[in-house]
Amino acid sequence: MAREPLRDGHGRAIGDLRVSVTDRCNFRCQYCMPAEGLPWLEREAILHFEEIERLVALLGSMGVHDIRLTGGEPLVRREFPKLVARLAALEDVHDLSVTTNGFLLERDAAALVEAGVDRVNVSIDSLQRDRFYEMTRRDALPQVLRGLEALGAHPQVHPIKVNAVALRDFTEDEAIPFADFARRHPYEVRFIEFMPLDGDHAWSRDQVLTGDELRAIIHARWPLEPEPREPHATARVFRFADGQGRIGFINPVSEPFCGDCNRIRLTADGTLRTCLFSLNETDLRGPLRAGASDDDLEQILRDAVWRKELKHHVNDPGFVQPTRTMSAIGG
Ligand code: SAM
Ligand code: SF4
């Protein structure tokens, strides 16, 4: 049953949902999780597949057609491809994608494709094994690259994006190797500015290496030309002037793109977040498990989305980092 489109109080139509399917992860990236991990959610606290499916279907009927599954590390959730298959079968899901660290992709790529995934983003912060280890605290680069290759064997999954978090005094040396990688492979590489969502709460502005700085490094070697910005796009995409590939920059800190943000997020324990940096969230698991009807849930969703933040305040004095960190929100 089609319902009224979901809109926030600033007139933005919501079309994109990120679902965190687990808060657990097999990596410990410096910019995301403390070395010792975080206290994991109890199993019962986590939404069951049926519960996720019900919320995705309901939101789909309200115009939320783009669904990205993330975490934590989504591929560590048991039977994850089964969830993908259930969501891919929903009429109102038009684009189903996954963000993964790639460690289990060699094992799961074929199952995910068979389940109906449309697109996959793989996070890789360095193309050098020792530096990858330094950043993720796991010696896993060869395994991740094998996963990427396994995925590449399925041309129906397209485009494949490779995301690297950009940190000052680290990523400068990765710019040219990643640009070269983007030129030689059919992957779109994107650099993401470091955001204050780290598990150690150690973010500071001077650790942010901006997309513009990285772009200048690459442009000096291989000139870049801007591609037109698509609506709701987070990345500024450039093509290499000689026609060999593309590269993108996601600049939430230096160049916020809140104006046409059409996203909401569902955490693994069933709360709705209307911004990465929200200080308030809305419980959906309670009402779901208490027997709420779809109409009840629709009202809760509409009320929460109506209050969606106009913009984030990372650049304002007095910014407060949310308690939940990136892995517990679903990036
Ligand atoms: N584990 C999966 C992965 O790493 O791709 C999915 C979840 S992870 C939280 C999603 C994305 O958020 C990754 O690309 C990761 O690099 C990015 N990320 C994590 N912490 C971040 C931070 N503090 N600032 C910017 N990006 C961050
Ligand atoms: Fe895990 Fe992804 Fe966070 Fe790295 S960024 S610790 S892979 S959730």
Side-chain angles (χ1 to χ4, degrees):
M1 177 182 99
R3 295 170 187 259
E4 280 288 301
L6 184 60
R7 285 191 181 277
D8 75 4
H10 309 286
R12 296 172 295 196
I14 306 302
D16 185 310
L17 171 71
R18 315 245 143 171
V19 182
S20 172
V21 301
T22 177
D23 60 328
R24 293 177 192 234
C25 188
N26 42 7
F27 282 16
R28 296 286 181 274
C29 303
Q30 301 271 2
Y31 48 75
C32 182
M33 272 209 202
E36 65 281 10
L38 289 163
W40 308 129
L41 292 166
E42 298 289 329
R43 185 179 257 231
E44 251 320 287
I46 291 184
L47 291 189
H48 308 145
F49 285 176
E50 305 74 54
E51 293 170 329
I52 295 175
E53 186 182 0
R54 181 164 170 215
L55 290 172
V56 169
L58 180 60
L59 284 160
S61 72
M62 297 157 78
V64 182
H65 299 310
D66 297 343
I67 309 295
R68 176 169 293 277
L69 303 176
T70 178
E73 173 47 38
L75 273 54
V76 305
R77 172 101 189 226
R78 267 184 49 210
E79 314 225 61
F80 176 63
K82 286 198 177 151
L83 174 66
V84 172
R86 291 173 86 133
L87 301 184
L90 295 174
E91 193 187 340
D92 287 320
V93 172
H94 298 173
D95 184 65
L96 183 60
S97 57
V98 171
T99 298
T100 172
N101 63 29
F103 188 72
L104 295 171
L105 252 188
E106 192 181 21
R107 181 192 78 182
D108 287 351
L112 292 174
V113 174
E114 192 170 329
V117 76
D118 295 306
R119 297 185 298 117
V120 178
N121 289 0
V122 183
S123 304
I124 304 179
D125 299 313
S126 172
L127 292 167
Q128 275 185 53
R129 188 168 178 169
D130 54 338
R131 287 166 56 84
F132 182 97
Y133 178 34
E134 183 187 337
M135 194 58 103
T136 62
R137 304 187 177 106
R138 296 289 183 268
D139 179 17
L141 179 64
Q143 175 80 27
V144 170
L145 292 177
R146 283 201 300 277
L148 197 57
E149 215 177 294
L151 189 66
H154 302 276
Q156 61 271 55
V157 178
H158 180 81
I160 297 173
K161 294 181 184 165
V162 170
N163 293 330
V165 174
L167 291 171
R168 184 165 302 285
D169 297 332
F170 184 91
T171 310
E172 293 88 340
D173 293 343
E174 300 294 334
I176 296 295
F178 268 121
D180 184 45
F181 189 72
R183 290 168 59 78
R184 285 187 292 108
H185 296 98
Y187 310 129
E188 187 174 310
V189 174
R190 291 125 39 102
F191 294 98
I192 309 176
E193 287 177 353
F194 178 34
M195 290 180 272
L197 293 168
D198 54 313
D200 290 324
H201 291 248
W203 181 91
S204 66
R205 183 165 303 277
D206 55 11
Q207 297 170 68
V208 178
L209 176 65
T210 67
D212 259 5
E213 291 173 88
L214 283 166
R215 183 162 59 85
I217 298 173
I218 296 169
H219 184 76
R221 174 79 169 267
W222 291 294
L224 294 169
E225 291 172 353
E227 295 268 34
R229 181 176 185 260
E230 288 175 14
H232 315 300
T234 54
R236 298 252 178 228
V237 179
F238 292 77
R239 63 177 169 274
F240 290 98
D242 63 6
Q244 268 196 63
R246 288 153 36 110
I247 196 146
F249 304 89
I250 302 176
N251 305 337
V253 179
S254 69
E255 215 181 337
F257 34 79
C258 307
D260 67 350
C261 176
N262 69 342
R263 278 185 194 173
I264 52 175
R265 293 179 146 83
L266 178 63
T267 65
D269 53 344
T271 70
L272 184 81
R273 295 180 62 87
T274 47
C275 174
L276 265 178
F277 300 98
S278 292
L279 296 174
N280 300 306
E281 41 190 37
T282 302
D283 176 38
L284 297 172
R285 186 189 65 201
L288 263 175
R289 293 187 181 171
S293 67
D294 279 0
D295 289 346
D296 297 337
L297 290 170
E298 175 180 0
Q299 201 49 54
I300 295 170
L301 288 164
R302 285 194 190 284
D303 289 347
V305 164
W306 187 255
R307 297 188 300 270
K308 179 170 161 64
E309 298 75 351
L310 178 61
K311 63 195 260 298
H312 72 59
H313 295 282
V314 172
N315 295 311
D316 301 344
F319 166 74
V320 180
Q321 177 167 344
T323 320
R324 276 189 201 258
T325 59
M326 193 61 130
S327 64
I329 295 172

